[in-house]
Structures are given as C-alpha cells and as structure tokens.
Amino acid sequence: MGITDPDTYVRGVPYDELARLRRASPVVRVDDFWAVLRHADVRRVLRDPALFSSQLGGTQIRDPATSSDLAYVRRMMLNMDPPEHGRLRGLLTRAFTPRAIAKLTERIETSARDLVAAVAGQGECDFAKVAADLPLLTLAAVFGVPEQDRRLMYDWSNRVIGYQDAEYAASSTVSETDVTGLARAALAVRPSPGPDGSMPDPRTRAGMPDLYAYANALGEYKREHPGDDVMSNLMRHVGDDGGRVSLAEFENLFWLFSVAGNETLRNGLPGGMLALLSHPAQYRRLLADRSLLPSAVEEMLRFWTPVMNFRRTATADVTLSDVDIRAGDKVVVWFSAANRDEDVFDAPDAFDVGRTPNDHLTFGHGPHFCLGAHLARVQLRAMFGAVLDLLGEVSLAGEPVRLRSNFQNGLKSLPIRWAR
C-alpha cells in the first residue's frame, strides 16, 4: 500500500515511506501527480498561485467527476486564485473584527473548560468525542448558528472528509426533535444512502443539499436580522468595489468553515493528545511548566499535521528541485512530509513541547494561509489548558481508532483515563 491508499492511514501516517521518498527525490511521481515532499518546495508552490493554481483543477488529489462539478468547486474560496480569492478573503478578514475575536476567545475558553469539567468526575472518556464539540461550539458562534443545530456540522464534515470511511460517509447523528425549524427543513432534503450504501459526492451541490439549504436560509436571515457574530458582519459589509457578499458566496463560505474549520481542529485536538500520551516525559514536562503550552501547541500541529496534503495544478512548464513539471500537471504538496524535513527540523521525528523555532506548514503558506489559524491555536491552548488544570496526567484507556482517509489525519476514538 502506498501513500495515496486510504487503508494505509488506518494504521498510521507512513512517515518512514515519506522520508524515504523525500531523500530519493524531493519531487516524486506518484500515481497521476507530482508529490512535493520538501519544506522549501512546498513553500515555493504555495506562494506562487500564478504558476501553481488552486482553481484549474481544485485542491483535492482526485479530479471532480464532471466539468460541471469542477465549475462548482471553483466557486469556493479554497479553490480560487487571485484576484477573486483576494476580494472574498479581504471581506472575510474584515468581518473578524477585534471585538468579534475577543468575544470568540472568551467563549472558546469557557466552552473548553465546561467540556472538560463535564467529564472530570468520570475518570475516563473518549477524548475524540469530547474534543469534537469545541470546534462545533466555536463555529456556531462564528455563524450565529443556534447551539442546538451545531451537530449538523458534525455530520456534514463527516460526510465530506470521511467519504473514504464507511462509518463517516453516511453520518447521521442529528435528531429532528432536537433542532430548530431551520435545521428540520434542511434535514428534509438530506440524501439517503443508495442500495450499495454509497452517498452522492459531497463536493457537489447535489451531494450536500441539506447543508446548502441551511446555509441559504441562514444567509438570508443574517442579511435581514444581523446579530453580533462574524457572519452578520460579513453579510452587512460592503467591499471597496461597492460589492457585497452574495448568498451563493455565503453558502460556499459556510461549506468551507463547516468542514475545514471543524475537521482540522476536531482531528488536531485528539491528535495532539495522542502525541502527548505517546511521549509521557513530554506530558509531565508540560504539566510542570505551563509556560510551554504555546510551543507545545505548535509542536502538536507539526507532529500530528491534520491536513496531510493539498493539490495545485501547474499553469506553465516549470522546474522544481531539478524535476521538470509540465503545464496542466497535478502538483500535490505533502504537509506530513514537509513538517518532518530534516533540513528544517532537528530530530524531526521527536516530539518536543519546547521546540523553537517551529516553522511548520500546518496552516499552509502564501495567499491561502489558513484564515482560522489564530482561532485554531486559541482552541488548542484552551482545551489543553483545561485538561492540565482539571484532569492532570492522563493515560490511554484503549486502542485509538483512526480515520480511513488519505487527506485528513484523523482519530475517530481516543479512550483516556485519569485519577479522579
């Protein structure tokens, strides 16, 4: 099994194979694409959208099934190139006002402590399930989504990110009795699995009609009844060109945040915990010195790397690390490899909560650098601060269960225990 086989990742990220490939050639042909494995080359690809396009073929290794599917994914900010990307990103950046970020930070810290406090007396829990609620609560606050509807985003991100995992591909954990009328209307158009258990492609509009129904209704409501959340700021904001965010753009931003904003943290939180549990001396070091928490979070992000790869498409012939790439070729940057590049990181396979500097590429680089990086760091610091304060030292209470995916480095279950 190779680095693109999702079954490989059920056992773990193939770091040894990635390192072997990188040492043989920093840019290597895999299947129908060029895998970019060296830190410096990944940075070069990501900072040059004119030469390495997000829009031509999208940002996933697998091609959209039809030309209409490709046209649709190109409408998402993740798959845009300048200048369209800069316009939408600029509007969104301005919606994250200092007041909004301060309010979100306070809410995140309270939510993290409440989630950990709720299980502290039990002596054990599935940390993957406890941690999953923090990004959902954060996103509900960003969008002004009623908290009882937040689990919709859990199912949506399962279906999109977990399409290679039979358990997640048809995820349906929300009961109609527990949600708002807005959510019930969306659930009414949720697709059902086919006779073979398969679901429609979640990267298409037809594959996620419930998400888009909810997003459209929410966007209309925000425009007519703005609150003090980030998305209300966005919907009432007028750009420098006099334009506003359209409902179609709002829908796609909702898709992006509900999936990318949720899944990265949902996997990064238990992934960071597993890194600590696998290195008990580092855990005790952090427990004894809380000033290490910020650097520990950066090391979790490097060591675990939730999003393992992203695709670009070459717009012209180019040479990268002495490898000739042709116009139209798929070019896939592999963060899991770049974040363990021995040219950049001393002892790259070691987990060191005090590692500085730590120039990891987990949030990307260049014009598509993750908009949610700050909030992601706030959530990681808040959750692990609460764990250290309320649980102390924890240990594994069972076998972790990994997500079957060659894109997200995910944990579906992480049983832990601690002394009550």
Side-chain angles (χ1 to χ4, degrees):
M1 290 186 285
I3 65 169
T4 58
D5 187 337
D7 285 330
T8 298
Y9 296 86
V10 175
R11 295 192 305 275
V13 179
Y15 291 114
D16 289 346
E17 176 64 6
L18 289 168
R20 186 191 68 77
L21 289 171
R22 186 179 61 246
R23 284 191 285 266
S25 175
V27 180
V28 63
R29 191 72 180 177
V30 177
D31 300 338
D32 65 343
F33 64 87
W34 295 103
V36 182
L37 306 172
R38 192 173 68 168
H39 191 279
D41 292 325
V42 170
R43 284 170 59 97
R44 182 186 169 194
V45 168
L46 294 179
R47 70 171 174 257
D48 192 350
L51 195 50
F52 300 100
S53 168
S54 298
Q55 191 162 29
L56 275 182
T59 51
Q60 299 295 298
I61 292 176
R62 60 178 181 141
D63 293 313
T66 67
S67 58
S68 61
D69 288 347
L70 175 59
Y72 190 72
V73 301
R74 283 174 170 170
R75 292 169 51 189
M76 295 182 183
M77 190 171 72
L78 189 68
N79 303 313
M80 288 180 177
D81 291 331
E84 294 85 358
H85 172 260
R87 171 193 161 269
L88 197 53
R89 186 180 174 103
L91 286 170
L92 195 52
T93 300
R94 286 195 286 275
F96 279 92
T97 62
R99 180 173 178 272
I101 289 175
K103 185 178 177 185
L104 282 168
T105 299
E106 182 180 353
R107 186 162 182 168
I108 287 166
E109 289 169 350
T110 300
S111 296
R113 201 161 190 89
D114 288 348
L115 289 169
V116 177
V119 298
Q122 298 172 14
E124 61 181 32
C125 73
D126 185 337
F127 187 72
K129 290 182 170 54
V130 172
D133 248 355
L134 185 59
L136 294 178
L137 289 163
T138 303
L139 287 168
V142 168
F143 279 102
V145 168
E147 281 192 10
Q148 64 264 43
D149 289 354
R150 71 184 187 276
R151 296 293 295 185
L152 289 170
M153 291 184 284
Y154 178 86
D155 284 340
W156 289 332
S157 62
N158 276 358
R159 283 158 53 193
V160 174
I161 298 298
Y163 75 95
Q164 295 170 320
D165 189 299
E167 181 186 354
Y168 274 15
S171 183
S172 178
T173 64
V174 176
S175 167
E176 289 187 18
T177 60
D178 299 331
V179 294
T180 65
L182 199 68
R184 283 193 290 276
L187 288 171
V189 297
R190 182 188 181 278
S192 299
D196 62 350
S198 65
M199 293 283 281
D201 187 344
R203 292 186 306 165
T204 65
R205 191 179 183 89
M208 301 292 288
D210 44 339
L211 181 150
Y212 287 106
Y214 192 92
N216 188 277
L218 183 68
E220 283 189 338
Y221 184 83
K222 291 294 172 192
R223 184 153 279 171
E224 298 300 321
H225 309 280
D228 60 355
D229 54 88
V230 171
M231 287 301 142
S232 291
N233 293 344
L234 179 69
M235 293 304 282
R236 64 174 160 239
H237 189 81
V238 177
D240 295 336
D241 59 356
R244 300 175 76 189
V245 172
S246 68
L247 273 178
E249 288 172 329
F250 179 86
E251 288 176 7
N252 285 328
L253 286 171
F254 187 87
W255 186 101
L256 179 64
F257 273 64
S258 295
V259 176
N262 175 24
E263 201 67 21
T264 301
L265 257 294
R266 183 175 146 197
N267 290 319
L269 286 162
M273 175 62 87
L274 185 55
L276 282 174
L277 296 179
S278 303
H279 301 83
Q282 292 297 311
Y283 194 125
R284 293 181 195 117
R285 183 182 171 200
L286 178 59
L287 200 55
D289 183 359
R290 304 298 173 83
S291 72
L292 291 170
L293 186 56
S295 61
V297 161
E298 297 307 313
E299 182 69 340
M300 292 173 192
L301 288 164
R302 181 195 73 87
F303 193 83
W304 184 258
T305 310
V307 177
M308 294 185 286
N309 53 69
F310 261 127
R311 172 202 173 165
R312 298 292 188 261
T313 303
T315 62
D317 293 352
V318 60
T319 300
L320 193 63
S321 277
D322 298 326
V323 174
D324 293 330
I325 295 170
R326 300 298 178 202
D329 283 357
K330 290 185 193 181
V331 178
V332 179
V333 294
W334 221 275
F335 299 118
S336 300
N339 278 348
R340 298 205 181 194
D341 186 342
E342 54 275 351
D343 288 344
V344 177
F345 304 99
D346 293 332
D349 294 322
F351 179 73
D352 176 5
V353 296
R355 184 185 294 273
T356 51
N358 194 339
D359 189 22
H360 65 76
L361 296 172
T362 297
F363 293 122
H365 181 68
H368 279 277
F369 182 81
C370 178
L371 258 172
H374 173 73
L375 287 180
R377 288 177 164 118
V378 169
Q379 290 177 79
L380 283 157
R381 289 196 294 265
M383 179 59 83
F384 284 100
V387 166
L388 294 170
D389 286 346
L390 301 178
L391 306 186
E393 187 170 352
V394 308
S395 58
L396 270 177
E399 276 298 308
V401 179
R402 295 182 54 87
L403 178 68
R404 182 181 183 272
S405 172
N406 62 10
F407 175 62
Q408 272 277 346
N409 186 16
L411 280 171
K412 298 195 293 185
S413 178
L414 182 64
I416 62 172
R417 66 167 64 96
W418 56 92
R420 283 185 287 179

